Amino acid sequence: MIRVTVWNEYFHEKTHANVKEIYPEGMHKVIADFLAADDVVVKTATLDDPNCGITEEVLNETDVLIWWGHAKHGAVPDEVAEMVQNAVIKGMGIIFLHSGHHSKPFRRLMGTPANLCWREDGDLERVWVIKPSHPIAKGLPRYFELEHEETYGEPFDIPEPDELLFISWFSGGEVFRSGCCYRRGNGKIFYFQPGHETFPIYYNEHVQTVIKNAVRWANPDYRVDKLSAPHVKKIGTSDSYIIG
Amino acid sequence: MIRVTVWNEYFHEKTHANVKEIYPEGMHKVIADFLAADDVVVKTATLDDPNCGITEEVLNETDVLIWWGHAKHGAVPDEVAEMVQNAVIKGMGIIFLHSGHHSKPFRRLMGTPANLCWREDGDLERVWVIKPSHPIAKGLPRYFELEHEETYGEPFDIPEPDELLFISWFSGGEVFRSGCCYRRGNGKIFYFQPGHETFPIYYNEHVQTVIKNAVRWANPDYRVDKLSAPHVKKIGTSDSYIIG
Amino acid sequence: MIRVTVWNEYFHEKTHANVKEIYPEGMHKVIADFLAADDVVVKTATLDDPNCGITEEVLNETDVLIWWGHAKHGAVPDEVAEMVQNAVIKGMGIIFLHSGHHSKPFRRLMGTPANLCWREDGDLERVWVIKPSHPIAKGLPRYFELEHEETYGEPFDIPEPDELLFISWFSGGEVFRSGCCYRRGNGKIFYFQPGHETFPIYYNEHVQTVIKNAVRWANPDYRVDKLSAPHVKKIGTSDSYIIG
Amino acid sequence: MIRVTVWNEYFHEKTHANVKEIYPEGMHKVIADFLAADDVVVKTATLDDPNCGITEEVLNETDVLIWWGHAKHGAVPDEVAEMVQNAVIKGMGIIFLHSGHHSKPFRRLMGTPANLCWREDGDLERVWVIKPSHPIAKGLPRYFELEHEETYGEPFDIPEPDELLFISWFSGGEVFRSGCCYRRGNGKIFYFQPGHETFPIYYNEHVQTVIKNAVRWANPDYRVDKLSAPHVKKIGTSDSYIIG
């Protein structure tokens, strides 16, 4: 059983009529609904919850965290961002969606500002699959399209991805590395670009396929209890602790 | 069900008394025996079989190929090496053991001579796990030891591994990148250094754990039928074939 | 002084009127001309030369080899491809242009078929710089355009680049990783996609800037005499040879 | 001219007699002295200086920053760590020495805790060069030895290095990735493990060679003025700014 927590700042859906129309109960609700499955149990959390909905208890019971934020990155306390970072280092998987590239946890995990270029012109986006045999690409056509999406453009200031899965083409002329895999500590990280709040992106079947696959990919293969810095004595006499 | 084929040149076991004593039926037999499991069915093939035991039929029915060779790399026809390389590109997993670093399929897949330094002095080898949360490391202690092993040393002339899992320490003074992961085309590749024929390496429980885990890791996540170079016409009118 | 050899199969320029018009003396001549500089001396070689113009002597006197081939990949003997591969492993830099992705030396160095998708529809290509501080990007705008170019598309079946520098956008809807850096053995490899023979690509100022920069980047930092596999005895008594 | 700033917390040299004996004026003084050259001008800064000796002015006039800290990581204000991180993203090179792996700037740039195992038993360390043609390895033997050094061991909790240059062997039984290259934003990062304060490591000729080479490698190839996130309008009408 994979335990997923979908975190959403849940701001635009309450303040912008057009967003509310698309996601009347918040995009976390839509994402949670399509993720629920026999082997996946989903909870949600938002900025409105106590402590942003992120506590040690929540993280300890989360195998994969999904993060969507945009206008309210600054409202997430540094302590929460640090807790999330540490949970990933210990092994929790995490999926950052769209404008989550500028969230505190993402920037901390990347070590870079994660800047990019953008335009809001309703461009057509075509997402190309460049590693078709990767588990996150399972069930996808060689490319899929989003009729209207916010345009993201390069340079995207991130470390070279461990694996680059998707590159997007925008009708206005930009390209963007829209699917990026990383391992940090014991945890796996996936960044996926689609998901501007003013378009019904998370209803798209291929977008849903990607996120469903990513949850299974990011789910820790097994739990390693410690990734500490022990002050070990002579190798020959140190006890060899079992991992996993 | 994972279908594994263990390929062994099967030469030293028939010509050197001390090797024969360790592996009376060949090391492929020992490897096949410990790999067999409810979800793994194993076949073996050797240089003595027609066409080295490697045909298109064999490869089509193999999810993960294990390769051990040393003295007889040159006896493997170029056509067979090319078939193996192509099978990996199409998605078959492959695990190269020990002196398999100099086999024709490994050199073709790496694009480098894959040279290294070596000594046969019966050094103690200590294999350190540097990515404890990787599925190939599951169930391992933080390091394990082989009382006597051939010494391999750096520089090991390989492309930078996609993921470096193990680094070995030898009592004589060398270090070696002893567990290296790659993706090439649709296939996954794992190089694992332990396994000199004059020591009973493949009876070691931790070595067995690594190879068992590696088989599950290298097993293709799913099959992609084509990785071709289609001469596609305008995107808008090309049929979008489904992957996986 | 950087010694460059520009290799061109030199076929279309002699057989297709429109190509001849663009490159009356062959594209190698145009490339050689813009590369010549105070610190760069350039020679050329073609398929018409004895042994394809590639001998051990030529490679020994070449710091950076540039390779353009398309229709005549098969006419390059395997022995020549192997010589080129070995020269790179020893430290020679190499730049593969355009359809050189399917040349024998490139496929040998990558370990993959290096397939891709393509169309000849005269699309506009926009080359995006995704690592602006890389030396190969020096002097470039954030993107540059080629009014008409053959369209190359993903998936491009190559190992994950050590550094991905450029991603191209095509007006017909494709994206392509158009600038890729690798290190193999002691040598540096750069793949650069622009250069279809029916368009005057190598007269473009930005394309010229890239190739000029790439020559300086690929030029070996210094020469390492050996990358061998010595059968060394005990570390303590082995002579420690000086590198460089 | 390369402008280097050597930063040292400068604590043990003033409080521990044995360290003071080795580095009577601080290790920054020794490092600055051997780095000074016709093409390198060196300044130093320590925790005792106003604002730790790190201001925007200092960073603006620094091409490569060298960082040694150990007992006083916590005394470096978060604002200073952030300034250093931002300077690297903008293009400044940085070299972290030894226990600098736990400094605030290193952890911020890596995105991980950068934990490791350690012992202080005066082991012999043997540093193996695994990429002999890399510019940082120029002039080194295939390995070099430090008679006594603090032992560092794996797992070292860092992102997979872009290029792994050195792996160290310790007489007590550990291995360690002792030379690691990264690019983050426009800047280059090198981590180099030798340098425990109780041993005269920075007087070793090979250690000096590595740091001298690393300064030249990390020196920005050229300056990119902006790595911002512009809100660009339609590509066709955006002005294409020149990089470099």
Side-chain angles (χ1 to χ4, degrees):
Chain A
M1 184 63 67
I2 308 176
R3 299 165 301 173
V4 175
T5 300
V6 181
W7 190 91
N8 178 16
E9 65 177 35
Y10 195 26
F11 171 72
H12 303 86
E13 297 99 321
K14 294 180 299 185
T15 53
H16 291 64
N18 58 334
V19 181
K20 187 171 193 168
E21 193 175 355
I22 301 172
Y23 300 111
E25 298 173 89
M27 59 175 71
H28 51 291
K29 180 66 169 57
V30 170
I31 295 172
D33 283 353
F34 73 70
L35 278 179
D38 285 351
D39 61 334
V40 180
V41 57
V42 191
K43 291 182 179 174
T44 62
T46 75
L47 205 51
D48 301 334
D49 295 321
N51 206 45
C52 307
I54 301 292
T55 63
E56 292 288 0
E57 292 68 37
V58 166
L59 294 175
N60 283 338
E61 294 173 1
T62 298
D63 297 310
V64 181
L65 180 62
I66 296 181
W67 195 277
W68 197 100
H70 180 203
K72 294 294 182 183
H73 294 316
V76 176
D78 287 348
E79 294 69 30
V80 167
E82 190 176 2
M83 265 199 298
V84 170
Q85 180 182 22
N86 285 337
V88 172
I89 298 301
K90 280 192 228 156
M92 183 184 74
I94 194 161
I95 300 169
F96 291 97
L97 295 175
H98 190 60
S99 41
H101 75 93
H102 254 179
S103 67
K104 289 183 179 179
F106 188 71
R107 295 170 90 152
R108 278 173 170 265
L109 285 161
M110 295 295 104
T112 63
N115 291 334
L116 48 77
C117 300
W118 80 97
R119 283 186 297 110
E120 294 187 50
D121 289 320
D123 273 4
L124 167 78
E125 174 176 1
R126 182 176 290 131
V127 181
W128 285 92
V129 177
I130 72 169
K131 277 202 187 54
S133 67
H134 195 280
I136 295 181
K138 186 175 180 180
L140 294 179
R142 59 197 292 251
Y143 65 84
F144 61 90
E145 296 183 347
L146 303 167
E147 198 178 344
H148 299 292
E149 179 47 299
E150 184 183 14
T151 300
Y152 272 20
E154 297 281 346
F156 183 19
D157 183 20
I158 47 171
E160 191 88 37
D162 294 345
E163 295 185 294
L164 179 59
L165 302 193
F166 306 137
I167 298 177
S168 287
W169 177 100
F170 291 90
S171 55
E174 282 86 353
V175 294
F176 193 71
R177 287 172 289 172
S178 48
C180 301
C181 296
Y182 295 93
R183 179 186 290 270
R184 288 294 183 270
N186 290 327
K188 290 195 251 181
I189 301 166
F190 183 58
Y191 173 77
F192 186 47
Q193 161 269 323
H196 193 56
E197 66 272 8
T198 61
F199 304 112
I201 303 292
Y202 296 120
Y203 294 98
N204 179 283
E205 96 177 81
H206 299 305
V207 168
Q208 292 188 0
T209 295
V210 169
I211 298 174
K212 287 179 198 174
N213 288 343
V215 160
R216 283 158 181 83
W217 171 83
N219 184 36
D221 297 299
Y222 63 104
R223 287 286 185 177
V224 179
D225 284 338
K226 303 171 197 168
L227 190 71
S228 59
H231 184 131
V232 291
K233 289 302 293 179
K234 278 287 180 202
I235 285 293
T237 61
S238 87
D239 45 334
S240 62
Y241 62 85
I242 295 292
I243 302 166
Chain B
M1 185 62 68
I2 307 178
R3 300 164 301 172
V4 175
T5 300
V6 181
W7 190 91
N8 178 17
E9 66 178 33
Y10 195 25
F11 170 73
H12 303 86
E13 297 99 320
K14 294 180 299 186
T15 54
H16 291 64
N18 59 335
V19 181
K20 187 172 194 168
E21 193 173 355
I22 301 171
Y23 299 112
E25 297 173 272
M27 58 176 73
H28 52 290
K29 181 64 170 54
V30 170
I31 295 171
D33 283 354
F34 74 69
L35 278 179
D38 284 352
D39 61 334
V40 179
V41 57
V42 191
K43 292 183 180 175
T44 62
T46 75
L47 204 51
D48 301 334
D49 295 322
N51 206 44
C52 309
I54 301 292
T55 63
E56 291 288 0
E57 290 70 35
V58 167
L59 295 175
N60 283 338
E61 293 174 1
T62 299
D63 296 312
V64 180
L65 179 63
I66 296 182
W67 193 277
W68 198 101
H70 180 203
K72 295 293 180 185
H73 294 317
V76 175
D78 286 349
E79 294 70 28
V80 167
E82 190 174 3
M83 265 199 299
V84 170
Q85 180 182 21
N86 285 338
V88 173
I89 296 302
K90 280 192 227 155
M92 182 184 73
I94 193 161
I95 300 168
F96 291 96
L97 296 175
H98 191 61
S99 41
H101 76 92
H102 254 177
S103 67
K104 289 182 180 180
F106 189 70
R107 296 170 92 153
R108 277 173 170 265
L109 284 161
M110 294 295 104
T112 64
N115 290 335
L116 48 77
C117 300
W118 81 98
R119 283 187 298 109
E120 293 187 50
D121 290 320
D123 275 3
L124 169 77
E125 173 174 0
R126 182 176 290 129
V127 181
W128 285 91
V129 177
I130 71 169
K131 275 202 188 56
S133 67
H134 196 279
I136 294 182
K138 187 176 181 179
L140 294 178
R142 59 199 290 255
Y143 65 85
F144 61 90
E145 296 183 347
L146 304 168
E147 198 179 344
H148 300 292
E149 180 46 298
E150 183 182 14
T151 301
Y152 273 19
E154 296 281 345
F156 183 19
D157 183 20
I158 47 173
E160 192 87 38
D162 293 346
E163 294 185 295
L164 179 59
L165 302 192
F166 306 138
I167 298 177
S168 287
W169 176 100
F170 291 90
S171 54
E174 282 87 352
V175 295
F176 193 71
R177 286 172 290 172
S178 48
C180 302
C181 297
Y182 295 93
R183 181 186 288 271
R184 289 295 182 269
N186 290 327
K188 289 195 251 183
I189 302 167
F190 183 57
Y191 173 78
F192 185 46
Q193 161 270 322
H196 193 55
E197 66 273 9
T198 63
F199 303 113
I201 303 294
Y202 295 120
Y203 294 98
N204 180 282
E205 95 179 81
H206 299 306
V207 168
Q208 292 187 1
T209 295
V210 170
I211 299 174
K212 286 178 200 174
N213 288 343
V215 160
R216 283 158 181 83
W217 171 84
N219 184 37
D221 297 298
Y222 63 102
R223 290 285 185 176
V224 178
D225 284 336
K226 304 173 198 169
L227 192 69
S228 60
H231 186 132
V232 292
K233 289 303 290 178
K234 276 288 179 200
I235 286 292
T237 60
S238 88
D239 45 333
S240 62
Y241 61 85
I242 294 292
I243 301 166
Chain C
M1 184 62 68
I2 307 176
R3 300 164 301 172
V4 175
T5 300
V6 181
W7 190 90
N8 178 16
E9 64 177 35
Y10 195 25
F11 171 73
H12 303 85
E13 298 98 321
K14 294 180 299 186
T15 53
H16 292 62
N18 58 334
V19 182
K20 187 172 195 167
E21 192 173 356
I22 300 171
Y23 299 112
E25 297 173 90
M27 58 176 72
H28 53 290
K29 180 65 169 58
V30 171
I31 294 171
D33 283 354
F34 73 70
L35 279 178
D38 284 352
D39 61 335
V40 179
V41 57
V42 191
K43 292 183 179 175
T44 61
T46 75
L47 203 51
D48 301 334
D49 295 321
N51 207 45
C52 309
I54 300 292
T55 64
E56 291 289 0
E57 292 68 36
V58 166
L59 294 175
N60 284 338
E61 293 173 3
T62 299
D63 296 312
V64 181
L65 180 62
I66 296 180
W67 194 277
W68 198 101
H70 180 204
K72 295 293 181 184
H73 293 316
V76 176
D78 286 347
E79 294 69 28
V80 167
E82 191 176 2
M83 266 199 296
V84 170
Q85 180 182 22
N86 285 338
V88 172
I89 297 301
K90 280 192 227 155
M92 182 183 75
I94 194 161
I95 300 167
F96 291 96
L97 296 175
H98 192 60
S99 41
H101 76 92
H102 255 178
S103 67
K104 290 182 178 180
F106 188 70
R107 295 170 91 153
R108 279 173 168 264
L109 284 161
M110 293 296 104
T112 62
N115 291 334
L116 48 78
C117 301
W118 81 98
R119 285 187 297 109
E120 292 187 51
D121 289 319
D123 273 3
L124 168 79
E125 173 175 1
R126 182 176 289 129
V127 181
W128 284 92
V129 177
I130 72 169
K131 277 204 186 53
S133 66
H134 194 280
I136 295 181
K138 187 175 181 180
L140 294 178
R142 59 196 292 252
Y143 66 83
F144 61 89
E145 296 182 347
L146 304 167
E147 198 178 345
H148 299 291
E149 180 45 300
E150 183 182 14
T151 300
Y152 273 20
E154 296 281 346
F156 183 19
D157 183 20
I158 47 172
E160 192 87 38
D162 293 346
E163 294 185 295
L164 179 59
L165 302 193
F166 306 136
I167 298 176
S168 287
W169 177 99
F170 291 89
S171 54
E174 282 87 353
V175 295
F176 193 71
R177 288 172 289 173
S178 47
C180 302
C181 296
Y182 295 93
R183 179 185 290 270
R184 289 295 182 269
N186 290 327
K188 289 195 252 180
I189 302 167
F190 182 58
Y191 173 76
F192 185 48
Q193 161 269 321
H196 192 55
E197 67 272 8
T198 62
F199 303 113
I201 303 292
Y202 295 119
Y203 294 98
N204 179 283
E205 96 177 82
H206 299 306
V207 168
Q208 292 187 0
T209 295
V210 170
I211 299 174
K212 287 179 198 174
N213 287 344
V215 159
R216 283 157 181 83
W217 171 83
N219 184 36
D221 298 297
Y222 63 104
R223 288 287 183 175
V224 178
D225 285 336
K226 304 172 198 169
L227 190 70
S228 59
H231 185 131
V232 291
K233 291 301 291 178
K234 278 287 179 201
I235 286 293
T237 59
S238 88
D239 45 333
S240 63
Y241 62 85
I242 295 292
I243 301 166
Chain D
M1 183 63 67
I2 307 176
R3 299 164 301 171
V4 175
T5 300
V6 181
W7 190 91
N8 178 18
E9 65 177 33
Y10 195 25
F11 171 72
H12 303 86
E13 297 98 321
K14 294 180 299 186
T15 54
H16 292 64
N18 58 334
V19 181
K20 187 172 195 167
E21 193 174 355
I22 301 171
Y23 299 112
E25 297 173 272
M27 58 176 73
H28 53 290
K29 181 66 169 56
V30 170
I31 294 171
D33 283 353
F34 73 71
L35 277 180
D38 285 352
D39 61 334
V40 180
V41 58
V42 190
K43 293 183 180 175
T44 62
T46 75
L47 205 50
D48 301 334
D49 295 322
N51 206 45
C52 310
I54 301 292
T55 62
E56 290 288 0
E57 292 68 37
V58 167
L59 294 175
N60 283 337
E61 293 173 2
T62 299
D63 296 311
V64 181
L65 180 63
I66 295 181
W67 193 278
W68 196 102
H70 180 204
K72 294 293 180 185
H73 293 316
V76 176
D78 287 348
E79 293 70 29
V80 167
E82 191 176 1
M83 263 199 298
V84 170
Q85 179 182 21
N86 285 338
V88 173
I89 297 302
K90 279 193 227 154
M92 182 184 74
I94 194 161
I95 300 169
F96 291 96
L97 295 174
H98 190 60
S99 41
H101 75 92
H102 255 178
S103 67
K104 289 182 180 180
F106 188 70
R107 294 169 91 153
R108 278 173 169 265
L109 284 161
M110 295 294 104
T112 64
N115 290 335
L116 47 78
C117 300
W118 80 99
R119 283 186 298 110
E120 293 187 50
D121 289 321
D123 274 4
L124 168 78
E125 174 176 0
R126 182 176 290 129
V127 181
W128 285 91
V129 177
I130 72 169
K131 275 203 188 56
S133 66
H134 194 280
I136 295 181
K138 187 176 180 178
L140 294 179
R142 57 198 290 255
Y143 65 85
F144 62 90
E145 296 183 347
L146 304 168
E147 197 178 345
H148 299 293
E149 180 45 300
E150 183 182 14
T151 300
Y152 272 20
E154 297 283 344
F156 184 19
D157 183 20
I158 48 172
E160 191 87 39
D162 293 346
E163 295 186 295
L164 178 59
L165 301 192
F166 306 137
I167 298 176
S168 287
W169 176 100
F170 291 90
S171 54
E174 281 87 353
V175 295
F176 193 71
R177 286 172 290 173
S178 48
C180 302
C181 297
Y182 295 93
R183 179 186 290 271
R184 287 296 182 270
N186 290 328
K188 289 195 253 182
I189 302 167
F190 183 58
Y191 173 76
F192 186 47
Q193 161 269 323
H196 193 55
E197 65 274 8
T198 63
F199 303 113
I201 303 293
Y202 296 120
Y203 295 98
N204 179 283
E205 95 177 82
H206 299 306
V207 168
Q208 293 188 359
T209 295
V210 170
I211 299 174
K212 286 179 199 173
N213 288 344
V215 160
R216 283 156 181 84
W217 171 83
N219 183 37
D221 297 298
Y222 64 104
R223 289 287 185 178
V224 179
D225 284 336
K226 303 173 197 167
L227 190 70
S228 59
H231 186 131
V232 291
K233 289 302 290 178
K234 278 288 179 198
I235 285 294
T237 60
S238 87
D239 46 333
S240 62
Y241 61 85
I242 294 293
I243 301 165

